[in-house]
Amino acid sequence: MIDIPEELAATQELYNGDRGRKFITGLPTLIEDFLERWDLRPDGTPMHGVTALVLPVVRRSDGTPAVLKLQLLDEESAGEPVALRLWDGDGAVRLLDHDPATHTMLLERLDSTRMLSTLPSTRDAVLVIAGLLAHLTATPAPAGMRRLGDIAHAMLDRTPAALKRIPDPGIRHTVADCAAALREVADEPGDRLLHWDLHDENVLASDRAPWLAIDPKPLAGDPGFELWPALDNRFDAAETTWRFDAMTDILGLDRARARAWTLGRLLQNALWDIEDGRPLEPRRLDIAHRLRTHRSRQP
């Protein structure tokens, strides 16, 4: 019997309610089913994120180390196996097997003790992320992938109501400026396959490559929408514009468009916070302010 982490049960209930509780209740049976179906044996302590259980396993037939990833299907995770299959282990974790009915995946095992966040230099970490993004976003998004253009226009539709809920005029002005920037690029959303959540805890070391991406929440769009996590993670105000310039250099992006899409990510986070009744985080407002006033030369 596999022990289900209490923290995972709590987050499933918080975010998914009855559906999350049913998922947690059914996990032991689901795990046993896939251990038998894919001829696996457990090989370590279960790990988890906010919504997924990740169980280290070994293939009984050949001793291949792997991980079994079990999670509820939602709009963000629906494209994960599609993206991983397209990347085919080149810059990202390799997909070994997938069950569409339950969204269960068998993935190659990477070194979970060596996240990119263990790299002491945040500049080095940002350069790794930029290199992975340049590689991953070179792939065209397949038909049927959720589209950044749809997400952008939906955000703009929600913005007027959200602005009315911001009492501070300075913060309200910042969020309105982010929406204005997004409006300038929303009709040209791009067609690359995006990871969407590539920060330094979603990059792991492996034996076959120095660093590989995990846990994509893929969509079709402009690579400029990918920069935000590396600006926000391990935040350093003085490093914001250096990170932005370094990433746009490596990805070969037009900086004005990349700035607009990055401000669109601030708007996305702001809308979630406002609609959930949370205050906007000061560091994110600081990033937006620095990008709005930053005028670096094109590479």
Side-chain angles (χ1 to χ4, degrees):
M1 178 67 70
I2 304 298
D3 290 328
I4 307 303
E6 293 182 4
E7 297 87 348
L8 178 62
T11 55
Q12 279 291 342
E13 182 168 2
L14 175 64
Y15 292 112
N16 296 308
D18 287 342
R19 185 167 175 251
R21 285 190 290 273
K22 290 178 182 177
F23 171 70
I24 293 297
T25 300
L27 262 181
T29 299
L30 193 62
I31 291 168
E32 292 300 324
D33 286 347
F34 279 98
L35 291 177
E36 181 177 355
R37 184 189 307 189
W38 287 338
D39 196 24
L40 309 170
R41 63 173 173 82
D43 187 44
T45 304
M47 301 169 285
H48 67 93
V50 175
T51 61
L53 181 77
V54 178
L55 177 66
V57 294
V58 169
R59 276 179 162 170
R60 296 180 188 273
S61 59
D62 57 13
T64 300
V67 295
L68 192 63
K69 184 174 182 180
L70 305 105
Q71 62 186 348
L72 278 177
L73 181 64
D74 58 31
E75 65 174 3
E76 290 185 354
S77 62
E80 182 175 0
V82 178
L84 293 179
R85 191 172 289 116
L86 283 172
W87 289 324
D88 193 24
D90 193 1
V93 65
R94 181 171 282 118
L95 178 68
L96 304 178
D97 212 334
H98 170 236
D99 177 59
T102 63
H103 199 55
T104 301
M105 290 180 288
L106 187 67
L107 304 168
E108 74 172 311
R109 193 189 308 179
L110 307 182
D111 189 347
S112 61
T113 68
R114 288 195 294 149
M115 291 180 178
L116 189 60
S117 57
T118 63
L119 206 62
S121 168
T122 56
R123 286 196 172 194
D124 287 347
V126 167
L127 295 178
V128 169
I129 289 172
L132 287 173
L133 286 175
H135 189 72
L136 297 174
T137 60
T139 301
M145 189 66 66
R146 65 189 183 120
R147 301 175 59 82
L148 177 56
D150 297 335
I151 293 169
H153 284 290
M155 287 195 290
L156 292 172
D157 289 344
R158 291 154 55 199
T159 296
L163 290 174
K164 294 176 181 178
R165 297 175 60 179
I166 304 175
D168 184 287
I171 296 175
R172 187 165 59 248
H173 180 69
T174 296
V175 174
D177 274 1
C178 290
L182 179 62
R183 194 171 291 110
E184 292 294 318
V185 294
D187 289 333
E188 297 179 10
D191 64 354
R192 301 291 91 186
L193 181 56
L194 307 185
H195 182 288
W196 185 80
D197 195 27
L198 198 62
H199 54 76
D200 58 8
E201 292 185 355
N202 273 345
V203 179
L204 299 181
S206 82
D207 292 334
R208 67 175 179 84
W211 301 103
L212 292 170
I214 65 168
D215 201 24
K217 304 290 185 288
L219 65 155
D222 190 301
F225 202 61
E226 294 275 45
L227 308 184
W228 176 268
L231 301 176
D232 188 48
N233 199 238
R234 289 207 277 178
F235 171 67
D236 182 338
E239 290 287 288
T240 297
T241 56
W242 182 91
R243 294 182 188 185
F244 177 79
D245 286 350
M247 287 191 289
T248 51
D249 278 353
I250 291 172
L251 274 79
L253 300 181
D254 177 271
R255 285 204 174 116
R257 286 185 58 82
R259 181 183 297 108
W261 282 116
T262 305
L263 293 174
R265 284 294 287 266
L266 180 280
L267 178 64
Q268 187 175 53
N269 283 290
L271 290 171
W272 287 333
D273 287 341
I274 293 164
E275 291 165 358
D276 289 343
R278 297 188 301 266
L280 275 64
E281 297 192 29
R283 75 175 188 280
R284 292 175 174 171
L285 296 169
D286 185 89
I287 292 171
H289 171 73
R290 290 173 187 273
L291 291 183
R292 286 160 62 213
T293 58
H294 180 52
R295 294 294 180 266
S296 56
R297 293 183 299 171
Q298 280 294 112

